[in-house]
Amino acid sequence: MTGLLSNLLLAVAWIALSGDFSMGGMLTGLAFGYLVILLLQNQLPGLKGYGTRLPRIVSFVFYFLRELFMANFKVAFDVITPPWHMTPGVIAFELEAKTDLEIAFVANLISLTPGTLSLDISDDRQVLFIHAMFLDDEQALRGDLREMERRALAVLR
């Protein structure tokens, strides 16, 4: 959080010093602030790791948009075609996420993807119960969910 706040403050300083109060000025300030923080992150403990977070976030956004598009296409195809291909079911998915934020983030990403819905979490917070619209290949679904969780946790950690 310190890195993001520092980046925003550097962007505001850029806008104030350059006099360019436009969206382009803000984006330029954010870019230059990011570069400054990237150079200083090893010297300032509060900024440690901030420089590597942005590429992970951008990678995750593109990954999730692709997954979202593919899931929407699969559900839409099944709804439009007369014989339904869905085989719904519920699976117990063991989580790598430990904190409340991580668990909530992963569960919400799963629910945002069409065809899957996070139902409940076990009392020990180790297992997430997920309803899947297409459960014909459970191992493939588990692999896809594991990949999504891995990428989501890389963004948060």
Side-chain angles (χ1 to χ4, degrees), residues 34-49:
Y34 178 76
L35 290 175
V36 167
I37 291 172
L38 189 63
L39 293 172
L40 295 177
Q41 71 178 348
N42 292 332
Q43 284 78 25
L44 302 171
L47 301 176
K48 194 98 174 142

Side-chain angles (χ1 to χ4, degrees), residues 66-82:
R66 183 178 58 83
E67 290 294 314
L68 196 62
F69 175 77
M70 296 302 289
N72 272 302
F73 181 76
K74 188 173 184 177
V75 170
F77 178 78
D78 195 49
V79 168
I80 291 172
T81 57

Side-chain angles (χ1 to χ4, degrees), residues 88-154:
V90 176
I91 63 167
F93 180 69
E94 291 187 28
L95 291 169
E96 297 292 323
K98 301 297 179 210
T99 67
D100 288 340
L101 176 67
E102 292 173 349
I103 292 169
F105 188 56
V106 170
N108 283 315
L109 287 172
I110 290 169
S111 292
L112 279 172
T113 309
T116 54
L117 179 67
S118 300
L119 297 174
D120 196 12
I121 188 155
S122 64
D123 291 336
D124 63 355
R125 303 165 46 113
Q126 304 265 330
V127 177
L128 183 65
F129 297 98
I130 300 168
H131 178 273
M133 190 172 165
F134 302 99
L135 197 58
D136 31 336
D137 189 0
E138 187 176 337
Q139 292 305 323
L141 176 64
R142 286 182 187 280
D144 292 344
L145 292 172
R146 181 69 57 213
E147 178 66 16
M148 183 181 294
E149 181 187 30
R150 185 190 64 77
R151 288 176 181 251
L153 293 178

Side-chain angles (χ1 to χ4, degrees), residues 3-24:
L4 178 62
L5 184 61
S6 300
N7 199 353
L8 289 173
L9 288 175
L10 287 170
V12 169
W14 173 266
I15 289 173
L17 292 173
S18 69
D20 183 11
F21 296 97
S22 67
M23 184 58 75

